[in-house]
Amino acid sequence: MPDSGIVVGQDFAVGSQDADSMSALLQPRAGLLMLNCHPDFKPPSGFRKEPALVKGCVLTDYYMDH
């Protein structure tokens, strides 16, 4: 997974190439999720994985920075 991504809220999206910023955006208190379109994505136990409006993608609070 690359060091950048799209984090979505209810009516907006943001992104960053900084791993620390991405991790901060995905903290539970922020209420944001990352759009993940990797077909075999399975988050570790304890992380969310929800359907996204984009076919083949999910929303998750899991971010791996490498």
Side-chain angles (χ1 to χ4, degrees):
M1 187 176 290
D3 286 350
S4 63
I6 299 170
V7 178
V8 296
Q10 185 172 353
D11 58 358
F12 67 93
V14 296
S16 177
Q17 293 183 347
D18 180 72
D20 291 335
S21 295
M22 289 298 293
S23 294
L25 289 169
L26 293 169
Q27 294 299 311
R29 67 183 175 274
L32 302 174
L33 297 172
M34 181 175 199
L35 184 65
N36 185 313
C37 298
H38 295 275
D40 298 324
F41 172 70
K42 292 181 178 82
S45 178
F47 290 93
R48 294 167 61 184
K49 178 181 174 183
E50 300 178 10
L53 294 177
V54 179
K55 186 177 180 178
C57 298
V58 296
L59 296 172
T60 184
D61 58 350
Y62 178 70
Y63 175 71
M64 185 174 69
D65 66 347
H66 68 275

